[in-house]
Amino acid sequence: MKPLKMQSFTISLFSILLLGVCHVSRATLASNKEKKATYIVHMSKPEMPASFEHHTHWYESSLKSVSDSAQMLYTYENAIHGFSTRLTLAEAKLLESQPGILSVMLELRYELHTTRTPEFLGLDKSADLLPQSDSVSEVIIGVLDTGVWPESKSFLDTGFGPVPSSWKGECESGTNFTTKNCNRKLIGARFFARGYEATLGPVDESKESKSPRDDDGHGTHTSSTAGGSSVADASLFGYAAGTARGMAARARVAVYKVCWVGGCFSSDILAAMDKAIDDGVNVLSMSLGGSMSYYYRDSVAIGAFAAMEKGIFVSCSAGNAGPSSYSLSNVAPWITTVGAGTLDRDFPAFVSLGNGKNYSGVSLYKGDAILPGKLLPFVYAGNASNATNGNLCMMGTLIPEQVAGKIVLCDRGVNPRVQKGAVVKAAGGIGMVLSNTDANGEELVADAHLLPATAVGKKGGDEIKNYLFSDPKPTATILFEGTKVGIQPSPVVAAFSSRGPNSITPDILKPDMIAPGVNILAGWVGSAGPTGLATDGRRVEFNIISGTSMSCPHVSGLAALIKAAHPDWSPAAIKSALMTTAYVTYKNGNKLQDVATGKDSTPFDHGAGHVDPVSALNPGLVYDLTADDYLNFLCALNYSATEITSLARRKFTCDASKKYSVTDLNYPSFAVNFGSGGADAGN
C-alpha cells in the first residue's frame, strides 16, 4: 500500500472455515431441455462487425441466429454491454459460441437483506464541520430496493431549491403512482419488472403496485435512512421518539424499484444500475444479497464496476447470514461492503416469574391489550402442541385449550418472530416470551408484536424453561419499560451481520466497516403494518427494523456528505476516508465487542471498524484507486482477457511480461493469506 502517512492497524489470527452462501439461489432449468430461462448476454462491443450501424442491431441479429421467437427483455448501455433474454439451455449454449459473445449467464435471484443514529454518530454536535446544505443538495443518492412511499414526510421538499442540473432521470407513472409523486427531494422514481415477469409471470397488481410505489416498506426505510428529510416528533408507538432524519438530510433521492414479492432478479437489477448511471446519481445504495461467485459472473459487481468508473460510490449490505464465517456477499473491492452494529438505545421489556426472578428482554409492543399487573398462567409452546416443532409456534401448531388466557414461551427460529406472536394470539394466548436458541445466542432484536411480548436471550430463555418444567403451576408477566438510551457497551457487532473472510479473494478484507443496523427508526409505508404481516392492520409513519439492509444506507448517506465536502474525490477516496477513520475501541480503550460470542470482535466481524463520519470528513490519509488499478488486480487473480472484458466493457489484456500481485492494490485494509496455516488481517 502507498499511504500518505503511516496509520496503525489491528491484527487478528483466524482459522479457515467452510464457505457459507448468503441469500442467493440460482434460477434452475427443469429437466425439459425446451424450458426457457432468463440469460444475461455479455457482448464485446469493440468486436461489432462494421456491417451493423448500431450495436442494438448486432444484438438483435445475434439473438435471431439462435431463436426466431426470443425477445430482448433489456438492452444495457452502461452497467454492461449486452442484453437479457429468454432462451432454452441449447439456445444459450449456441449463442455463447457466436463471435463477439463474451458470456451467456443464467439469471440469479437476489433477496433483500433486512432518530438516534445522527446523535450516535456525532453528526448533531458537528454542524460546523459538515458541508453546507447547498453543496449537499447537489448530491443525488440512488436507492435500488422495493420502491418508495412518496407521501412519507421523509420526502418533503420544503426549503429545497431546483433539481440539480446534472440530473437526467425520470419519474415514471404506474399503478398508484404518477409523476406528481416526485418533487425537489424525491427527484426520480423508476421500476423494473421485465426479468421478474419473464420468470414468475405478471406482477399481481392486487397485491403490489406495478410502479415505483413501495408496498413492502423496506425501500422506504432504506431510502429515508440514507437521505430522508428531517421530521420532528417521529416515533413508532412512542418508542424512539425524536427528530428522524437521513444521514444526508439535504441530499436528493432517486429510487429504482427492482425487488418484488418473488425477489429481485439480476436482469432487473442490471437495468436499474444501467439507468442510474445514465441518470446521474452520485451514490448507489443497494441493500440486497449478491451472489457468491467470481466477480466477472456477479451482476452486482459488474454493474458496480461501471458505476465506479463514472465516479459513483456504491454501498452494499454484507448480508444477514452471521455469525458464520465466510458468510459475506458483495465482496468486490470496488464495492463498499457494510456490516451491522448496535446503537446505545434499547427497548427493555422484562419477564417476571412466579419464583420472583426477573429476566431482561426487548419489545416494541404498544397496544390496548396491556397485561394486568399480576402474574398469569405460563406455558411452554412445546407442551401445548401435538406437533414435533410445536415449540416454534408455527401456524396451526398450538392447541387453543392449552394456551387460552396464558402467556406462551416460543422458541426463535424458522418462521418470523412476529408471526409466532400472531399464532399465539390466534390460539387465545394473551402474551408471549420469545426465547433465543444457540443460533442467536444473546442477540436481541425488538419487534412491534401484535400482542404483549418480549424477546430474551438464550441464557435467560433456558432458565425460564427450567422454571416452566419444574414448577407445577408456573406464572409470569411482562413489564414494558419504553425507550432507554446510553446503553453500554455500544456499538457491538450484531450476531446476524455476515462475517469474513472474503471467500472470493481472501487477501481483500471484508466487510469494509460496520454501521448502525439494529433497531433503526426510519420512514414506512401506508399499505403495510410494522410487522409486515397481512393480519397487522396497524398503520405507522415510521418503523423500527434491523439488518445490514439498515446499515448499508447509513454509509450511503455518509458518503453523500463526504462527496459534498470533497466533490473531486473518487469512490475509492471516499471509502478510504470512512475506513481509515473507523474505530475499533470504545472510549475506555476496550475493544469492540461481538454480541454473538460476548468477546472482542475481529476484523472479519467489523472490517476497518465502526464508521466515524465526522473524522472521515478530514481523514488526513487517503488510499486512492483508479479503474486501471482494479484491472491490474484482476490480472493478479489470473482472470482471462474475456473475463476482464466482461467487467471492464472494453478490451484489456494483462501484460505477460509484468508480474501482478493482489497486494499491489492500494486498499485501505488488508488480509494476509497463509493458506491452511491461518491468516492475519488488519486495517
Side-chain angles (χ1 to χ4, degrees), residues 182-196:
C182 292
N183 56 25
R184 291 173 298 178
K185 173 66 175 180
L186 180 64
I187 62 174
R190 297 180 185 267
F191 67 100
F192 301 84
R194 295 177 195 169
Y196 171 90

Side-chain angles (χ1 to χ4, degrees), residues 304-350:
F305 190 95
M308 171 273 300
E309 282 198 293
K310 294 288 188 179
I312 301 168
F313 179 94
V314 181
S315 174
C316 291
S317 47
N320 299 333
S324 300
S325 298
Y326 290 97
S327 54
L328 290 157
S329 57
N330 301 315
V331 296
W334 47 88
I335 291 173
T336 299
T337 310
V338 189
T342 64
L343 294 172
D344 64 342
R345 180 180 63 196
D346 215 344
F347 310 101
F350 296 89

Side-chain angles (χ1 to χ4, degrees), residues 478-537:
I478 303 171
L479 307 172
F480 299 93
E481 298 292 314
T483 304
K484 302 292 183 183
V485 296
I487 304 297
Q488 298 299 331
S490 63
V492 297
V493 179
F496 62 74
S497 186
S498 290
R499 316 300 173 96
N502 180 343
S503 62
I504 304 301
T505 315
D507 309 79
I508 301 297
L509 180 63
K510 291 282 183 171
D512 290 307
M513 65 196 73
I514 61 171
V518 178
N519 296 334
I520 304 302
L521 179 77
W524 200 244
V525 297
S527 56
T531 63
L533 297 175
T535 55
D536 189 354

Side-chain angles (χ1 to χ4, degrees), residues 162-177:
V163 173
S165 58
S166 60
W167 177 244
K168 301 175 185 176
E170 295 180 7
C171 191
E172 291 185 334
S173 296
T175 310
N176 303 318
F177 200 96

Side-chain angles (χ1 to χ4, degrees), residues 146-148 172-174 177 189-191 210-214 255 257:
T146 63
V148 66
E172 291 185 334
S173 296
F177 200 96
R190 297 180 185 267
F191 67 100
K210 190 176 179 182
S211 73
R213 180 168 292 279
D214 179 15
V255 298
K257 183 176 180 179

Side-chain angles (χ1 to χ4, degrees), residues 400-419:
E401 293 77 13
Q402 297 186 26
V403 302
K406 298 178 182 179
I407 295 175
V408 181
L409 187 143
C410 303
D411 283 325
R412 185 173 171 181
V414 184
N415 58 327
R417 300 181 301 271
V418 290
Q419 187 185 77

Side-chain angles (χ1 to χ4, degrees), residues 57 86 96 132 165 355 372 515 569:
H57 300 157
R86 300 280 288 177
E96 194 165 33
Q132 296 300 309
S165 58
N355 62 5
W569 278 13

